[in-house]
Every structure is written in structure tokens, then in C-alpha cells.
């Protein structure tokens, strides 16, 4: 099984790849050869596209890094944990409300649209495209992608901590108490929202506290989703790694594991990553610029 190390990276998002089997390295001159990639693309039957936060960043959805490393005076990654939610659910909900509102206003960019158009076009040819995404903003679905595996959940869903009910929720604001809350500035004070005023479950006789239906740092990933990812990794004959740093599980494992069985893997990113050497191709620049010509209609 390709994901035999699942138990390691399923422990959470902050597990770093340290021991990945090296795939066959290609001539460095082929790394950015678009015509060579297009030949591979024209022949591929099952294409897996792994996407990360860099894709959504081009639509204005912040990552957890660089200038967005902090929200107010808190480290973003420290807020996205079950411990933080248990201690200060009001603060964590403010943080996620801010991110939800940005995501609700965001629109798919050229990379999202190119992927969706490619999937629809290839489906008519009897070929398949699957999007395996770390993004939690649902912009792939907005763009029209149908076959999407969300390994980190969705900001547009909530889960009740009492009854476990998962519900699609795109209300803005998600509750009255969070209206106009969540500003990220370093001098903004937390809003001491009582727990009973935070988002609550609508299920009959429950009224439990809701949380975003995302995978917090340190939580296990959905085993059903991982099983589907594993199947796609086993059958794909071309892989694209788009807008991800390839250093954090699970995405750090996917591309190199696919490459290790001789499948071409092309990386589209703003810069090289620790995994670039494993891949057959690397296209540097904004995904919205480099990806559309890679996926456009091919005369063959």
C-alpha cells in the first residue's frame, strides 16, 4: 500500500516528511520544459492534482505563514488546535470567523478555473481528474470541480461537539455575536463572547457548541478520505503538485510517493520546495499564471 506510513502522518497536520523513498531524478533541463509536460498530459488517463494554500492565496485567502503567521498577537497555528478551542472557544471562533468571511467573499482564480475546466473536458474523453486539496475554502467546488477530496475539511461546514452532526453552513455572520468580530490587528482585543452565544447546534434537543469542521493541528485525519486518496494515488498516471510547500503531512507524502513508482509529477509553486528534486517537472511562478497553459486543450 502506498500509504503504509498513514499512522505517522494521520496524527495531524504538523508531521514533517523526513524519510521518503526517492524517485527517479530527471535531467534538470526538463524540469521547466512545458512542451515535454504537455506530451505527458496529452497521454495521461488518470490525473491527480494535489493543491495547497498557495492556490487560495491568489484569491485573497491567507495562509498560516509569512505575514499571516500571526492573528492579533497569537500564532495562527496555535489557535487551530483542539486545546485552544477547549480553552478559549470565543477566541478561536473569532479567528475562524475572520477566515470564513474572507473565504465567503473570495472568488476562484485562474488556477481553480483551469482545473475545473480540465476536469470537465477530460471527462468527455473518458479520462479523469481528481483534486486532492488541503484548502478548506471550497473554492475548487465554486469553480466547478466535481471530484474533490478535502483532506483538511471545510470552513463552510460545522460539527457539533456534542452530537457530532456535520452541517453545511454559509451564514454570514455565522451567529449574531460574531457579527463584525475577528479583526486581525495586533492591537485588537478579544471579544469575550459567552459560550452560549457562540454558534450552536440546530438538532432537536441538542443545542451543543459548534466548531468549524476542519482538521485542527494535532487531530487525526479522516480515514475514509485517506482511503480514497490512497486509491487515487495508486491509479494516477500523472500528478500535479500545485501551490503547496510539500513539507507538512499529508501533502508532503503524496507527491514523492507517487513519483517513487515512476509516475511523472509536476510541481507548480512560487519557489522550489524540499521535494522539488523528487519531481520530473517544476514550474515557478503564480499558479494562476503557470497552470492554465499547462492544462489547456491539447490538439491531440
Amino acid at each position: 500500500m502506498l500509504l503504509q506510513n498513514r499512522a505517522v502522518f494521520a496524527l495531524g497536520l504538523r508531521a514533517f516528511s523526513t524519510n521518503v523513498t526517492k524517485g527517479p531524478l530527471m535531467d534538470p533541463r526538463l524540469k521547466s520544459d512545458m512542451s515535454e509536460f504537455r506530451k505527458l498530459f496529452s497521454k495521461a488517463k488518470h490525473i491527480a492534482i494535489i493543491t495547497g494554500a498557495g492556490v487560495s492565496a491568489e484569491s485573497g485567502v491567507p495562509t498560516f505563514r509569512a505575514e499571516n503567521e500571526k492573528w492579533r498577537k497569537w500564532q495562527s497555528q496555535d489557535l487551530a488546535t483542539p486545546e485552544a478551542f477547549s480553552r478559549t472557544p470565543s477566541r478561536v471562533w473569532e479567528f475562524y470567523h475572520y477566515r470564513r468571511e474572507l473565504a465567503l467573499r473570495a472568488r476562484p482564480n485562474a488556477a481553480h478555473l483551469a482545473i475545473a475546466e480540465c476536469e470537465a473536458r477530460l471527462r468527455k474523453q473518458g479520462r479523469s481528474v481528481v483534486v486532492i486539496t488541503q484548502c478548506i475554502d471550497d473554492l475548487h467546488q465554486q469553480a466547478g470541480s466535481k471530484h474533490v477530496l478535502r483532506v483538511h475539511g471545510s470552513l463552510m461546514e460545522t460539527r457539533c461537539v456534542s452530537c457530532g452532526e456535520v452541517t453545511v453552513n454559509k451564514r454570514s455572520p455565522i451567529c449574531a455575536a460574531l457579527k463584525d468580530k475577528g479583526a486581525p490587528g495586533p492591537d485588537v482585543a478579544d471579544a469575550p463572547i459567552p459560550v452560549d452565544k457562540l454558534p450552536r447546534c440546530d438538532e432537536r434537543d441538542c443545542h451543543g457548541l459548534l466548531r468549524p469542521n476542519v482538521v485542527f493541528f494535532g487531530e487525526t485525519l479522516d480515514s475514509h478520505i485517506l482511503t480514497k486518496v490512497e486509491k487515487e494515488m495508486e491509479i494516477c498516471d500523472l500528478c500535479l503538485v500545485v501551490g503547496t510547500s510539500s513539507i507538512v503531512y499529508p501533502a508532503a507524502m503524496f507527491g514523492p510517493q507517487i513519483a517513487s513508482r515512476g509516475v511523472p509529477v509536476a510541481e507548480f509553486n512560487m519557489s522550489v520546495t524540499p521535494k522539488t528534486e523528487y519531481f520530473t517537472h517544476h514550474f515557478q511562478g503564480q499558479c494562476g499564471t503557470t497552470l492554465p497553459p499547462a492544462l489547456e486543450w491539447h490538439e491531440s
Side-chain angles (χ1 to χ4, degrees), residues 8-29:
V8 177
F9 70 78
L11 292 176
L13 309 186
R14 298 188 69 178
F16 288 85
S17 175
T18 58
N19 185 24
V20 179
T21 302
K22 200 167 188 175
L25 299 184
M26 301 294 290
D27 185 333
R29 291 170 296 181

Side-chain angles (χ1 to χ4, degrees), residues 3 6-13 132-134 136 148-154 157 159 164 166 211 213-231 249-250 254:
L3 300 189
R6 175 188 297 170
V8 177
F9 70 78
L11 292 176
L13 309 186
I132 302 169
T133 187
Q134 296 180 95
I136 58 176
V148 182
L149 299 177
R150 303 177 302 188
V151 296
H152 294 168
S154 171
E157 294 178 350
R159 185 166 82 245
V166 174
R211 55 163 281 179
N213 189 37
V214 299
V215 181
F216 286 147
F217 286 90
E219 290 186 324
T220 56
L221 306 179
D222 187 323
S223 61
H224 299 293
I225 295 295
L226 287 177
T227 297
K228 293 178 180 179
V229 169
E230 182 177 54
K231 178 181 177 181
Y249 287 106
F254 297 166

Side-chain angles (χ1 to χ4, degrees), residues 2-288:
L2 281 175
L3 300 189
Q4 55 189 305
N5 293 325
R6 175 188 297 170
V8 177
F9 70 78
L11 292 176
L13 309 186
R14 298 188 69 178
F16 288 85
S17 175
T18 58
N19 185 24
V20 179
T21 302
K22 200 167 188 175
L25 299 184
M26 301 294 290
D27 185 333
R29 291 170 296 181
L30 296 180
K31 284 285 189 179
S32 58
D33 187 335
M34 182 60 77
S35 62
E36 177 68 21
F37 171 81
R38 293 282 292 163
K39 291 177 184 176
L40 296 170
F41 171 72
S42 69
K43 299 174 183 177
K45 301 296 184 183
H46 303 285
I47 301 172
I49 303 180
I50 301 165
T51 67
V55 176
S56 295
E58 294 179 27
S59 288
V61 179
T63 67
F64 275 15
R65 297 202 173 113
E67 66 271 18
N68 303 300
E69 189 174 5
K70 283 193 172 184
W71 176 84
R72 296 178 183 168
K73 61 181 179 180
W74 313 101
Q75 292 286 335
S76 294
Q77 291 183 347
D78 292 340
L79 292 171
T81 68
E83 293 80 13
F85 188 76
S86 178
R87 287 193 306 267
T88 54
S90 175
R91 178 186 299 152
V92 173
W93 256 121
E94 273 201 272
F95 170 69
Y96 275 104
H97 177 66
Y98 163 69
R99 298 183 70 83
R100 269 176 55 95
E101 292 297 302
L102 289 177
L104 285 167
R105 293 194 295 270
R107 293 295 176 264
N109 60 54
H112 294 110
L113 296 172
I115 292 170
E117 189 279 331
C118 177
E119 179 189 357
R121 171 167 34 92
L122 267 57
R123 187 186 306 118
K124 296 176 182 177
Q125 302 172 12
R127 302 158 70 191
S128 69
V129 173
V130 60
V131 179
I132 302 169
T133 187
Q134 296 180 95
C135 301
I136 58 176
D137 47 52
D138 287 6
L139 288 176
H140 283 299
Q141 290 89 333
Q142 247 192 80
S145 291
K146 304 298 183 185
H147 193 185
V148 182
L149 299 177
R150 303 177 302 188
V151 296
H152 294 168
S154 171
L155 274 175
M156 304 308 159
E157 294 178 350
T158 56
R159 185 166 82 245
C160 178
V161 300
S162 296
C163 72
E165 182 72 14
V166 174
T167 307
V168 174
N169 189 323
K170 297 184 180 181
R171 291 196 295 265
S172 175
I174 192 169
C175 69
L178 283 167
K179 180 177 174 60
D180 299 325
K181 300 295 191 298
D187 298 323
V188 178
D190 290 350
I193 303 172
V195 175
D196 63 349
K197 299 298 183 184
L198 292 173
R200 312 299 296 194
C201 183
D202 290 332
E203 285 296 296
R204 184 178 179 182
D205 300 325
C206 182
H207 202 59
L209 177 65
L210 296 179
R211 55 163 281 179
N213 189 37
V214 299
V215 181
F216 286 147
F217 286 90
E219 290 186 324
T220 56
L221 306 179
D222 187 323
S223 61
H224 299 293
I225 295 295
L226 287 177
T227 297
K228 293 178 180 179
V229 169
E230 182 177 54
K231 178 181 177 181
E232 297 296 340
M233 288 174 62
E234 289 174 340
I235 67 171
C236 75
D237 53 5
L238 178 65
C239 175
L240 283 67
V241 178
V242 183
T244 175
S245 59
S246 290
I247 60 173
V248 181
Y249 287 106
M253 181 71 83
F254 297 166
Q257 285 281 16
I258 292 172
S260 72
R261 63 182 183 87
V263 173
V265 179
E267 182 179 56
F268 295 77
N269 205 43
M270 288 294 291
S271 60
V272 296
T273 73
K275 299 297 183 287
T276 301
E277 65 172 323
Y278 296 97
F279 304 147
T280 53
H281 295 77
H282 172 83
F283 301 100
Q284 194 157 322
Q286 289 198 326
C287 303

